[in-house]
Amino acid sequence: MQRPLVLFDLDNTLVDRRGTLGDWAAQFTAGHGLGDEERAYVLDMVTERAYPSTFEAIRTRYRLPISAAELWHAYCTDISALVTCPAEVLDGLGELREAGWRVGVATNGAADIQRAKLRAAGIFERVDGAFVSEEAEARKPQRRHFALAAARCGAVLGDGGWMVGDNPVNDIGGGRSAGLRTIWVSGDRVWPLDGPGPDHTVSHVRAAIDLLLLHAADHERSTV
Ligand SMILES: [Mg+2]
């Protein structure tokens, strides 16, 4: 039997990007002698989209005597040092693979920072494959993003699978359009969009993993 596929979003699904960025912004502004009021500004900048160009804007605003490339490199290093994936989630990825799942990561963002985070958080060695949008200019919610992520796991979208993520448009809408079943990691939010919602809603990613493990066990029982 074909091993079933599950793709996970990275930021605010497998790792707490919001918390990591908050810690980083505090470190960054203190390290560059910037006041507390600038912390919120810097945090907003990187929260929206963190790419090398973001640091060109930050460098210009604060007249920092460092190149944007160096700031970007330091950001990748600092974030890697701060980012963590909860032990029960790392264990869960391993449990899924032991139960026969193909496990992948499908994330938007810059390749160097996202791959550094995947390695630092211990996720990379626990999944079959990962795709970062910048690697082929294919961002969620585009179908091509999910196709490339599936391919990294040796799977094709035509065989179906699951997408787990926190973003209603990118992860859930995109995943559904790509023919995947979806689990929304809500963080206790209420589904914000009109039209079809996710197949399942959980408050934390570990609950999504448990649901998939149960689903696989049920499936096995019904097919023997
Ligand atoms: Mg996310």
Side-chain angles (χ1 to χ4, degrees):
M1 199 191 89
Q2 180 77 263
R3 287 161 62 209
L5 171 73
V6 56
L7 299 173
F8 289 89
D9 168 52
L10 178 61
D11 290 319
N12 299 322
T13 296
L14 291 176
V15 302
D16 172 17
R17 179 173 191 255
R18 231 170 274 119
T20 304
L21 287 184
D23 293 345
W24 173 83
Q27 270 183 18
F28 180 84
T29 47
H32 289 282
L34 303 172
D36 264 359
E37 67 286 357
E38 295 302 330
R39 187 163 73 186
Y41 181 86
V42 169
L43 182 57
D44 272 358
M45 297 269 301
V46 293
T47 296
E48 191 138 323
R49 263 182 174 216
Y51 281 88
S53 58
T54 314
F55 286 86
E56 190 60 59
I58 289 174
R59 189 188 73 89
T60 304
R61 178 178 169 97
Y62 299 116
R63 299 194 179 87
L64 300 176
I66 312 165
S67 72
E70 283 171 284
L71 287 171
W72 171 251
H73 184 74
Y75 172 79
C76 292
T77 305
D78 295 346
I79 291 290
S80 299
L82 290 168
V83 75
T84 59
C85 179
E88 74 266 22
V89 177
L90 290 175
D91 290 346
L93 297 176
E95 289 164 37
L96 282 169
R97 290 181 78 194
E98 275 167 34
W101 290 80
R102 288 175 206 261
V103 180
V105 175
T107 175
N108 283 346
D112 45 5
I113 182 73
Q114 298 303 64
R115 292 214 165 256
K117 281 155 64 180
L118 286 168
R119 283 180 206 284
I123 296 167
F124 196 74
E125 69 225 50
R126 288 178 173 82
V127 296
D128 293 291
F131 175 67
V132 185
S133 63
E134 193 191 48
E135 291 167 349
E137 297 304 327
R139 286 180 66 82
K140 289 181 284 187
Q142 295 169 14
R143 180 188 172 85
R144 192 163 153 258
H145 180 102
F146 298 94
L148 289 166
R152 291 278 161 95
C153 303
V156 292
L157 288 181
D159 290 334
W162 292 77
M163 176 67 203
V164 180
D166 71 299
N167 189 295
V169 174
N170 291 342
D171 298 321
I172 305 307
R176 189 193 322 108
S177 299
L180 301 172
R181 298 177 76 184
T182 55
I183 304 177
W184 182 45
V185 179
S186 69
D188 296 323
R189 290 168 295 165
V190 173
W191 180 252
L193 305 177
D194 292 333
D199 292 300
H200 300 277
T201 298
V202 295
S203 65
H204 187 267
V205 68
R206 176 66 227 205
I209 292 171
D210 290 337
L211 202 145
L212 292 167
L213 289 168
L214 200 68
H215 174 83
D218 282 349
H219 184 71
E220 217 155 85
R221 266 196 296 277
S222 65
T223 51
V224 286

